[in-house]
Amino acid sequence: MTRSTIKQKLSKSVFGMSIIALMTIGSPAHATEPGKWNFQVYGGWYAAGDLQKLNDVDGSLGDTMEALGLEPGDDLTYGVRNGKRFSDIWGLEFSAGYFDVDEAAERLENQSSLDMSLGLFDLSLMLYPAGGGFYLYGGGGAVTSKIKVDLNDANVFDESETAFSLNAGLGYVFNVGQSSFIRLDGKARWYDLEYYEGPDAELTAAWGWNF
């Protein structure tokens, strides 16, 4: 997937979340209650970053990757969040997510495959401009990656690494009962690993509880 395609998908995600926020920003309810902790379980769609750096690896791997066109495709992501809204207008949140993709290709009777998994960890400052359910956020964190490439049924590349990341996003939370809520969220993330780089994007929905 090219960087321009990721940016297009991110723009659509942010646009969709902005429409939702404008439709509901006037709601006075606090889905994430000030002074209380909350816990969320989320899932959604992940727009992967770029693996083109693998083409620069010494030896035959780079040529093979480019010829086969092995790239991580968009796929499902899931994770958990834990945070606290300290007042009507601000809070803090930690999130831990996971993304995994397997892609196989057969060219000229050669069996080749790409296996990649990411751990996504973010610590974000949450801002609620109107004191309601609409929010903006940003912060830092870490991305861990594990990339494995097999050519002709033999492993030729297996690397793991961790890098610092930045994130930003927006969304809205809706009350569901007295202590639970639904959250819609769009996020972008920036980082630069040795063989994999952002930006990436994700659009998720979460079920959460205040306690």
Side-chain angles (χ1 to χ4, degrees):
M1 172 171 295
T2 64
R3 190 183 299 269
S4 61
T5 301
I6 296 172
K7 289 181 179 179
Q8 290 175 1
K9 295 192 176 188
L10 174 60
S11 298
K12 292 178 181 178
S13 299
V14 172
F15 176 76
M17 294 305 303
S18 299
I19 295 299
I20 293 172
L22 290 173
M23 293 173 61
T24 54
I25 194 171
S27 172
H30 292 113
T32 50
E33 297 183 21
K36 289 189 175 182
W37 290 90
N38 65 80
F39 179 79
Q40 306 165 40
V41 177
Y42 75 84
W45 198 249
Y46 178 90
D50 192 355
L51 265 177
Q52 288 300 314
K53 289 184 177 181
L54 278 176
N55 293 334
D56 299 328
V57 176
D58 293 336
S60 61
L61 175 61
D63 295 336
T64 304
M65 290 290 295
E66 188 171 12
L68 292 175
L70 288 175
E71 276 290 310
D74 301 347
D75 211 330
L76 297 178
T77 184
Y78 55 89
V80 296
R81 304 184 182 110
N82 181 233
K84 184 175 183 178
R85 185 168 177 172
F86 292 94
S87 71
D88 286 349
I89 62 172
W90 77 280
L92 289 175
E93 178 179 86
F94 172 76
S95 66
Y98 184 76
F99 170 75
D100 179 78
V101 62
D102 292 292
E103 181 172 321
E106 184 175 356
R107 300 289 187 274
L108 303 177
E109 299 181 353
N110 292 328
Q111 293 292 334
S112 304
S113 67
L114 164 68
D115 184 6
M116 184 185 75
S117 60
L118 297 177
L120 309 166
F121 305 96
D122 299 316
L123 180 63
S124 304
L125 173 65
M126 312 287 293
L127 299 176
Y128 303 83
F134 171 67
Y135 61 86
L136 303 166
Y137 65 89
V143 173
T144 64
S145 73
K146 182 174 178 59
I147 303 173
K148 179 181 177 182
V149 179
D150 291 338
L151 300 178
N152 301 323
D153 297 323
N155 179 247
V156 296
F157 187 85
D158 194 342
E159 293 286 341
S160 300
E161 59 176 324
T162 301
F164 176 75
S165 65
L166 296 173
N167 71 86
L170 54 78
Y172 199 89
V173 285
F174 305 85
N175 281 321
V176 181
Q178 294 185 348
S179 61
S180 59
F181 57 89
I182 292 174
R183 169 177 170 178
L184 301 179
D185 185 272
K187 175 187 286 188
R189 193 180 288 105
W190 294 267
Y191 50 88
D192 189 5
L193 295 162
E194 185 174 0
Y195 299 109
Y196 179 72
E197 62 182 338
D200 60 21
E202 58 185 51
L203 186 61
T204 60
W207 187 278
W209 301 266
N210 295 305
F211 59 92

